[in-house]
Amino acid sequence: IERNGIKIDKNEFEKHFHPVEDEFVYTSYNFKTLTSRPSNTFGGVNYAALSHKDGCRKSFIPRNDVFVEFDISAYHPTLASKIIDFDFGKDDIHKAFAKMYGVDYKKAKELTFKQLYGGVFDNYKDLPFFKATSEYIRTTWETFQVEGVVKCPISNYEYKRDVLENMNPQKLFNYILQNMETSVNIEILFRIFKLLKGYKTKLVLYTYDSFLFDMDKSEGKELMENINEVFEQLKLQTKVKHGNNYDF
């Protein structure tokens, strides 16, 4: 991804960031972070956290024909469901939660993320998903305290009590989710780069739950279906956006 680089509108880029000589910029991923979730900062630009509000995303344009972005829907709830072996079926996960809570889609998303990152609310603690999640958090924290280490799913990466400061059960769970996210993303990237061999279409940016492709339209339909199949094989739901710059 770093080698591919991203084409820029030079005037737009310099307006929001810094002077450049070339029409391409290059990102730099760092996996040696506390949670193992990669950062992506280079030349003072944080490519993992580009603002949606100030127009800076208009700086990034395709070298081919169009940008296509695959966003993984409800990524952390999906990963949590894999950890606790909970099956949402084929339904949109946030729709499934909306039914559980008896609220609309938008409110369901808000409630789910608040509980996933901040702890389960009393009025939802008996829902099967949250009951199993709470039990996993409890037993994992117990292991962390007694044995001094917990091993992450997929990667077998170890979080050690003596290394991590100010930990609590919920924070440890969030670290495990972020590590699992990175592990699954590496599998996605491995499959996608294998798929893109010989194509003009490039993968130019990855940010946690989204993958940005610089698409050649002549390769479009079949390649899009093949890329989508990568996510489907891993039982991940996606939403797709496209546009002539990264602001969509």
Side-chain angles (χ1 to χ4, degrees):
I1 301 175
E2 293 172 356
R3 187 171 65 242
N4 286 338
I6 315 174
K7 192 173 182 183
I8 56 167
D9 176 320
K10 198 167 180 293
N11 291 333
E12 277 291 329
F13 187 88
E14 291 185 342
K15 189 166 79 179
H16 293 284
F17 301 112
H18 57 74
V20 283
E21 292 180 11
D22 201 359
E23 60 177 351
F24 287 89
V25 292
Y26 297 88
T27 61
S28 179
Y29 290 90
N30 171 32
F31 285 84
K32 292 186 182 296
T33 61
L34 196 59
T35 65
S36 76
R37 193 187 208 197
S39 61
N40 186 8
T41 304
F42 188 72
V45 182
N46 185 350
Y47 291 97
L50 294 168
S51 173
H52 287 273
K53 296 176 181 177
D54 65 4
C56 72
R57 289 175 173 239
K58 289 178 183 172
S59 308
F60 305 97
I61 57 175
R63 77 194 75 190
N64 290 312
D65 299 308
V66 65
F67 273 154
V68 178
E69 185 176 61
F70 283 77
D71 277 311
I72 300 172
S73 303
Y75 202 3
H76 281 192
T78 301
L79 295 176
S81 72
K82 290 178 188 294
I83 289 174
I84 63 172
D85 198 22
F86 184 90
D87 187 8
F88 283 100
K90 292 187 177 179
D91 202 0
D92 178 293
I93 288 176
H94 290 306
K95 273 187 188 173
F97 276 120
K99 287 176 193 170
M100 290 184 210
Y101 303 138
V103 300
D104 64 30
Y105 190 90
K106 187 180 177 184
K107 184 66 178 173
K109 281 180 79 170
E110 182 189 322
L111 285 170
T112 300
F113 287 122
K114 277 183 178 176
Q115 293 179 91
L116 210 54
Y117 305 131
V120 178
F121 300 160
D122 283 345
N123 49 330
Y124 299 123
K125 67 182 181 183
D126 292 324
L127 290 175
F129 174 84
F130 286 115
K131 202 170 185 179
T133 301
S134 296
E135 180 60 15
Y136 175 81
I137 291 170
R138 186 191 69 77
T139 56
T140 304
W141 181 250
E142 197 173 272
T143 302
F144 188 64
Q145 291 300 304
V146 174
E147 298 179 15
V149 64
V150 290
K151 203 172 270 192
C152 295
I154 304 176
S155 68
N156 289 326
Y157 184 86
E158 292 182 341
Y159 288 123
K160 296 177 180 176
R161 191 186 61 211
D162 294 344
V163 175
L164 299 174
E165 296 179 359
N166 304 317
M167 292 302 287
N168 60 56
Q170 194 66 41
K171 190 174 178 183
L172 180 61
F173 177 59
N174 292 339
Y175 276 32
I176 290 168
L177 281 181
Q178 289 185 41
N179 181 275
M180 191 174 177
E181 173 198 88
T182 303
S183 301
V184 174
N185 285 348
I186 293 301
E187 177 63 26
I188 292 167
L189 293 171
F190 178 80
R191 295 185 188 198
I192 282 173
F193 279 116
K194 220 171 158 187
L195 183 65
L196 290 179
K197 276 187 180 176
Y199 283 95
K200 292 177 186 172
T201 295
K202 307 283 184 191
L203 177 63
V204 293
L205 190 67
Y206 127 69
T207 52
Y208 311 136
D209 61 355
S210 68
F211 298 77
L212 182 67
F213 295 86
D214 188 328
M215 185 76 70
D216 184 297
K217 279 186 178 175
S218 67
E219 301 167 344
K221 192 181 176 187
E222 186 184 348
L223 185 57
M224 285 265 292
E225 287 171 358
N226 291 339
I227 290 168
N228 191 56
E229 198 177 322
V230 168
F231 295 99
E232 286 182 350
Q233 286 168 350
L234 294 166
K235 296 183 178 175
L236 298 169
Q237 299 171 354
T238 56
K239 291 176 182 173
V240 181
K241 289 183 264 187
H242 59 87
N244 57 11
N245 63 56
Y246 192 34
D247 202 40
F248 298 117

